[in-house]
């Protein structure tokens, strides 16, 4: 495996730092490395592997579609493409709308960003601490200085306001504002949950000024929080999706509801791969499995159990999130040590900030795996705090 790490360093651009593991196989919520070590995957490819690894329904859908019709250009359409668009509109509340399909989250946000320009206004009001992707447009909407600074100048007319502060939003938004962009929970920030009523307040503020309300549900959407959309109950004009949508097959979607779905005209936007029938068949298989296996309910119940278990340790100062999107704060800046100690114990998790841990396991995570993790949790923290010498 050293060999693979050396070859990686010699052949792949160094954007991610050295890989933590070289993985060879997965099944359900479990993955194996090249030395045969088994891990419970509590990160799920960063909220992507909704059905875990190698789920038969996903394998079968992709295989069958690829054997039948793998790619056509967007001069043509296919059954899976139309069926997926219809299904996404149904899951987004059932009203009229139109979908633009992409290959990733950042592309879904690029499409949405361009869509907002079609209002005739240019300003976008965005929350600090949010993450919307790495392409130039999506990056312009992402506040993190370390991500932005090396790539200035970025597309302009973006105004940042503190997340969760409805008053600040009300002050910032005006008749100049094309759109308000918010994550229902900030995933990359370590699962930051806004105060009750924040999304509804954003809806009212957008309406008052004729601005669009755009929710980035790339991470929170498609059952992750125990609901199809984490924003359920507040209807946006635009919702962007990706990560879990096709359970690991690359896809993204920009869903425009009502009039927002009609802002693009022919020639305004495009993609070669977006909306290809294999990705759409994969997404349909994921959605069907979530429905048929009652996974929303499972996610809700199991997520609560995990949050309660994690919070029981006094070194955990706060636990946040819903369903299987879980973030927690530690009493010290030891999250990198927690990551390493968890790996030693056979669990993959994520350390988005120095004192925060994030879990986004497959929606099919079993109670047994969750219990095994909670049983190991105090020992993982013991090891991490000892390592850190704090
Ligand atoms: C991951 C993420 C993105 C970017 O998606 P990519 O597929 O990595 O381009 C955008 N928005 C949110 C909220 C995300 O979590």
């Amino acid at each position: 495996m050293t060999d693979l790490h050396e070859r990686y360093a010699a052949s792949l651009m160094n954007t991610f730092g050295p890989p933590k593991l070289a993985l060879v196989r997965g099944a359900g919520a479990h993955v194996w490395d090249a030395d045969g070590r088994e891990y419970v995957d509590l990160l799920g490819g960063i909220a992507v592997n909704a059905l875990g690894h190698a789920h038969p329904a996903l394998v079968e859908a992709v295989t069958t579609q690829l054997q039948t019709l793998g790619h056509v250009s967007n001069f043509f359409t296919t059954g899976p493409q139309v069926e997926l668009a219809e299904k996404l509109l149904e899951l987004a509340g059932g009203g009229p709308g139109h979908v633009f399909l992409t290959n990733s989250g950042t592309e879904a946000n690029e499409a949405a960003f361009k869509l907002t320009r079609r209002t005739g206004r240019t300003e976008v009001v965005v929350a600090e601490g949010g993450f919307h992707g790495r392409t130039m447009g999506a990056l312009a909407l992402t506040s993190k200085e370390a991500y932005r600074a090396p790539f200035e100048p970025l597309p302009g007319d973006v105004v940042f306001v503190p997340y969760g502060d409805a008053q600040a939003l009300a002050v910032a938004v005006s008749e100049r504002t094309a759109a308000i962009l918010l994550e229902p929970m900030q995933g990359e920030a370590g699962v930051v949950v806004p105060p009750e009523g924040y999304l509804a307040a954003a809806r009212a503020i957008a309406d008052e000024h004729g601005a669009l309300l755009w929710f980035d549900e790339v991470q929170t959407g498609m059952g992750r929080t125990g609901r199809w959309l984490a924003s359920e109950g507040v209807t946006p004009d635009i919702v962007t999706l990706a990560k879990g949508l096709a359970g690991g097959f690359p896809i993204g979607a920009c869903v425009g509801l009502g009039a927002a779905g009609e802002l693009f005209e022919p020639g305004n936007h495009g993609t070669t791969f977006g909306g290809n029938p294999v990705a759409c068949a994969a997404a349909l298989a994921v959605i069907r499995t979530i429905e048929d296996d009652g996974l929303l309910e499972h996610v809700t119940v199991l997520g609560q159990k995990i949050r309660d278990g994690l919070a029981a340790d006094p070194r955990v100062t706060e636990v946040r999130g819903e369903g299987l999107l879980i973030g927690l704060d530690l009493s010290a800046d030891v999250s990198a040590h927690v990551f390493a100690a968890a790996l030693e114990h056979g669990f993959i998790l994520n350390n988005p900030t120095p004192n925060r841990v994030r879990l986004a396991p497959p929606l099919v995570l079993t109670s047994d795996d969750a219990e095994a993790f909670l049983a190991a949790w105090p020992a993982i923290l013991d090891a991490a705090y000892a390592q850190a010498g704090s």
Side-chain angles (χ1 to χ4, degrees):
M1 249 332 72
T2 342
D3 184 41
L4 211 48
H5 285 287
E6 279 167 13
R7 283 163 56 199
Y8 180 101
S11 61
L12 284 133
M13 289 191 189
N14 187 20
T15 50
F16 302 102
K20 316 280 188 202
L21 296 171
L23 296 169
V24 294
R25 187 168 74 83
H30 293 227
V31 291
W32 285 263
D33 71 13
D35 302 324
R37 276 208 68 183
E38 183 176 350
Y39 303 87
V40 178
D41 181 5
L42 298 172
L43 183 57
I46 316 184
V48 166
N49 298 95
L51 303 186
H53 300 271
H55 192 287
L58 188 52
V59 171
E60 142 70 23
V62 168
T63 307
T64 303
Q65 188 57 50
L66 196 53
Q67 284 170 339
T68 309
L69 186 66
H71 174 83
V72 299
S73 73
N74 279 307
F75 291 126
F76 311 104
T77 190
T78 62
Q81 181 181 67
V82 175
E83 199 184 325
L84 179 60
E86 290 172 348
K87 191 73 197 175
L88 291 178
L89 291 169
E90 180 193 318
L91 299 180
H98 296 83
V99 178
F100 184 86
L101 293 165
T102 71
N103 311 286
S104 67
T106 203
E107 285 174 83
N109 285 335
E110 289 292 329
F113 194 4
K114 285 180 68 177
L115 195 69
T116 68
R117 292 284 171 104
R118 299 292 303 155
T119 59
R121 304 179 185 183
T122 55
E123 182 185 80
V124 183
V125 178
V126 191
E128 289 165 3
F131 180 78
H132 303 292
R134 301 296 203 128
T135 53
M136 291 300 243
L139 186 56
L141 303 166
T142 298
S143 69
K144 191 167 174 171
E145 203 46 38
Y147 292 173
R148 300 171 59 89
F151 304 101
E152 300 279 0
L154 295 166
D157 219 357
V158 179
V159 174
F160 292 101
V161 293
Y163 186 63
D165 183 343
Q167 187 54 39
L169 204 55
V171 171
V173 175
S174 72
E175 314 306 308
R176 292 196 56 255
T177 308
I180 300 170
L181 164 59
L182 299 169
E183 290 164 88
M185 292 175 209
Q186 292 187 325
E188 293 305 295
V191 191
V192 175
V193 181
E196 187 77 33
Y198 179 58
L199 300 182
R203 175 72 274 173
I205 294 163
D207 287 344
E208 191 185 326
H209 299 283
L212 299 173
L213 181 61
W214 165 12
F215 290 148
D216 180 345
E217 295 233 25
V218 166
Q219 186 155 165
T220 53
M222 302 315 293
R224 171 66 34 202
T225 65
R227 299 184 299 275
W228 286 111
L229 296 179
S231 60
E232 204 176 271
V234 179
T235 306
D237 301 290
I238 304 170
V239 57
T240 43
L241 300 165
K243 291 200 163 85
L245 178 53
F249 204 93
I251 192 171
C254 169
V255 181
L257 299 171
E262 297 175 15
L263 287 167
F264 276 152
E265 292 165 10
N268 278 168
H269 199 47
T271 167
T272 297
F273 293 119
N276 76 82
V278 182
C280 295
L284 287 166
V286 169
I287 294 167
R288 207 174 303 122
T289 304
I290 292 173
E291 287 175 340
D292 291 352
D293 294 358
L295 288 178
L296 297 183
E297 172 71 13
H298 172 72
V299 161
T300 302
V301 172
L302 192 58
Q304 189 57 51
K305 183 166 148 180
I306 294 172
R307 280 193 301 282
D308 291 346
L310 292 168
D313 193 290
R315 291 164 289 191
V316 173
T317 57
E318 187 178 57
V319 181
R320 298 175 300 271
E322 278 178 63
L324 289 178
L325 184 60
I326 299 172
L328 62 86
D329 286 2
L330 296 162
S331 60
D333 286 349
V334 297
S335 72
H337 296 287
V338 171
F339 169 82
L343 216 52
E344 279 301 307
H345 281 79
F347 298 96
I348 294 173
L349 43 71
N350 171 246
N351 50 311
T353 78
N355 77 326
R356 284 184 175 161
V357 169
R358 171 178 52 171
L359 307 180
L363 309 186
V364 296
L365 183 75
T366 63
S367 295
D368 284 354
D369 281 337
E371 271 161 28
F373 171 62
L374 292 175
W377 180 236
I380 291 169
L381 291 183
D382 287 347
Y385 276 73
Q387 261 286 315
S390 51

